[in-house]
Amino acid sequence: MARYDFTARRLYVEAPLAADARIELNPAQSHYLRNVLRLSDGAELLVFNGRDGEWRVRMSVAPQHAVLTALSQTRPQEQGADLHYLFAPLKHARLDYMVQKAVEMGATLLQPVWTCRTQAERVNSERMRANAIEAAEQCGILALPRVVEPERLERLLADWPEERLLVFCDEEADSADPLTALRAAEAAAPLAVLVGPEGGFDPSERAAILAKRRVIRVSLGPRILRADTAAVAILALVQAALGDWRR
Amino acid sequence: MARYDFTARRLYVEAPLAADARIELNPAQSHYLRNVLRLSDGAELLVFNGRDGEWRVRMSVAPQHAVLTALSQTRPQEQGADLHYLFAPLKHARLDYMVQKAVEMGATLLQPVWTCRTQAERVNSERMRANAIEAAEQCGILALPRVVEPERLERLLADWPEERLLVFCDEEADSADPLTALRAAEAAAPLAVLVGPEGGFDPSERAAILAKRRVIRVSLGPRILRADTAAVAILALVQAALGDWRR
């Protein structure tokens, strides 16, 4: 896919952005701009902070670090749609990959979920946030997705807000095809997508999920998908049927 | 996703499969079964060769290698649908990943395509085949996808079979949303999906593609997708709208 202007570098920053604002970069960011992107004194790039839109800035190189000066706003702030992505955490590189993909696909909140058959035993939330930032920089969004702490499935279900529609990826669903199932939903509802571990859901977990009032149960075809493949696939169907891929 | 029986190991073999057939494994396969899967003498697993269906076999361990004996057929041979996946090759790990994902998503032929803006300069076809086999073993299919040698886009278009519908992922498409575009197609046609490089297509390439008689041009939403994300996303939409994800 293209649409990516490889000449425009985008960087997430935490500082406020406004005309003439001066943004001190931390050592990692300075290193990235100078040694990875090989930008030199006076180079222009784009920055965003999730609150003040996207700005064109100019870099000045000081001995120990780099400083950016905001020139002009290139896009006003926008909020992503309301799409929560709930997933059983994977291990290592595949979790990095899944987080990046979920952000590209428009998830606005990433919620790791402990289920009976989840394989990973820990989640490095800082690493997940770093992956989310990297994907946000690359895919062009202005609102940074939230990465929240892992939670047990039963606890999430106990506190589930009644109005949020849950798209439940379940290999044992024998309902209609996934697009028919998704189109039966109200498009305007806040959405959540749940993808389980590669061992699937326990029968008691399945029953607890299906007991919720607004659940769409979908199966993703006849082949066995890895969890990170299922993530992109279900988010594509949701965005195309209910989300921001419709024009 | 689940549906994967983690207790049933599946291995692709080249030898013919029939009742009581004896299959000599090569050293890499013997190593995999004995040292990676840690199977011991007498263990049972599943094998397929792309021609004779899936068979349950029993392993016997000899000093230098392992031998399998076919016990019974578990599934008759089936052919996948006719879905060609055409893609600008990526570099290294991301190409491995894309090949595995395309197989999980049901592609039956993998065709690397040289375009003006393709970044990779070589393709290791043997490595692609190894990745396709690994994904086929994991995702449960019986027909091994074909991996063909890279070809120039203009050459592929010159020889394009008139009856094959080409789903063209194009970030500059301003047509209707992707599902509406896909649903306008005849579901029974042989299909191909084309995903370009992350630099997009050259205008002359785009014109040559759109000059073909049966082309569906689709855009995958407002965010910039990495090429490997676009691969899974478009294959999910195609399978759900036209392919084998419909029941």
Side-chain angles (χ1 to χ4, degrees), chain A residues 1-6 94 97-98 100-101 103-107 117 119 134 138-141 169-179 183 195-201 218-230 232-234 236-237 239-241 244-247, chain B residues 1-6 94 97-98 100-101 103-107 117 119 134 138-141 169-179 183 195-201 218-230 232-234 236-237 239-241 244-247:
Chain A
M1 297 302 292
R3 201 178 342 168
Y4 190 29
D5 179 4
F6 278 94
R94 291 181 60 227
Y97 194 96
M98 182 194 257
Q100 293 170 17
K101 296 311 179 203
V103 174
E104 288 178 56
M105 297 301 293
R117 298 179 192 164
Q119 300 269 316
E134 184 183 323
Q138 177 265 316
C139 79
I141 56 176
C169 286
D170 182 11
E171 74 286 354
E172 295 194 7
D174 57 359
S175 54
D177 64 272
L179 288 179
R183 276 197 296 267
V195 174
E198 289 176 352
F201 290 95
V218 295
S219 169
L220 299 176
R223 285 167 298 280
I224 299 151
L225 302 185
R226 303 296 298 253
D228 47 356
T229 316
V232 176
I234 185 60
L237 298 188
Q239 292 291 23
D244 66 12
W245 288 15
R246 296 167 300 166
R247 294 283 171 87
Chain B
M1 299 303 292
R3 200 179 339 167
Y4 191 28
D5 180 2
F6 278 95
R94 290 182 59 228
Y97 194 94
M98 181 195 259
Q100 293 171 16
K101 296 311 181 203
V103 173
E104 287 177 55
M105 297 300 293
R117 299 179 191 163
Q119 301 267 316
E134 184 183 322
Q138 177 266 315
C139 79
I141 57 176
C169 287
D170 183 11
E171 71 287 355
E172 295 193 9
D174 56 359
S175 56
D177 65 273
L179 288 178
R183 276 197 295 264
V195 174
E198 288 175 353
F201 290 94
V218 294
S219 170
L220 299 176
R223 286 166 297 280
I224 299 152
L225 302 185
R226 303 296 300 254
D228 47 354
T229 316
V232 176
I234 185 61
L237 298 188
Q239 292 290 23
D244 67 11
W245 287 16
R246 298 167 298 166
R247 294 285 171 86

Side-chain angles (χ1 to χ4, degrees), chain A residues 38-209:
Chain A
R38 299 184 169 279
L39 300 183
S40 50
D41 192 65
E44 294 186 5
L45 64 149
L46 299 173
V47 300
F48 64 107
N49 64 6
R51 306 182 303 277
D52 301 321
E54 182 185 73
W55 287 74
R56 197 158 53 83
V57 298
R58 180 175 295 129
M59 183 174 80
S60 316
V61 173
Q64 293 302 318
H65 67 309
V67 174
L68 305 177
T69 305
L71 302 176
S72 60
Q73 193 183 49
T74 49
R75 290 156 63 196
Q77 183 61 36
E78 60 193 28
Q79 296 304 325
D82 184 351
L83 175 57
H84 293 188
Y85 179 58
L86 284 58
F87 59 98
L90 307 176
K91 291 181 181 176
H92 314 306
R94 291 181 60 227
L95 179 58
D96 295 345
Y97 194 96
M98 182 194 257
V99 167
Q100 293 170 17
K101 296 311 179 203
V103 174
E104 288 178 56
M105 297 301 293
T108 53
L109 181 139
L110 302 180
Q111 170 72 66
V113 183
W114 301 125
T115 71
C116 295
R117 298 179 192 164
T118 300
Q119 300 269 316
E121 290 172 3
R122 273 185 295 282
V123 175
N124 181 335
S125 297
E126 276 316 300
R127 183 167 172 158
M128 282 182 53
R129 286 192 189 95
N131 275 298
I133 288 172
E134 184 183 323
E137 289 172 341
Q138 177 265 316
C139 79
I141 56 176
L142 296 183
L144 205 67
R146 284 175 57 207
V147 175
V148 297
E149 293 300 310
E151 188 55 90
R152 290 185 54 77
L153 178 62
E154 62 185 358
R155 177 61 182 272
L156 284 171
L157 292 175
D159 295 340
W160 194 259
E162 193 164 79
E163 74 280 7
R164 186 170 294 277
L165 181 68
L166 178 59
V167 177
F168 168 39
C169 286
D170 182 11
E171 74 286 354
E172 295 194 7
D174 57 359
S175 54
D177 64 272
L179 288 179
T180 302
L182 289 172
R183 276 197 296 267
E186 297 157 66
L191 285 166
V193 168
L194 170 62
V195 174
E198 289 176 352
F201 290 95
D202 185 83
S204 66
E205 292 176 327
R206 178 175 293 108
I209 294 165

Side-chain angles (χ1 to χ4, degrees), chain B residues 72-95:
Chain B
S72 60
Q73 193 183 48
T74 49
R75 290 156 63 198
Q77 184 60 36
E78 60 193 29
Q79 296 305 323
D82 184 351
L83 175 57
H84 292 189
Y85 178 57
L86 284 57
F87 59 98
L90 307 175
K91 291 180 180 177
H92 314 305
R94 290 182 59 228
L95 179 58

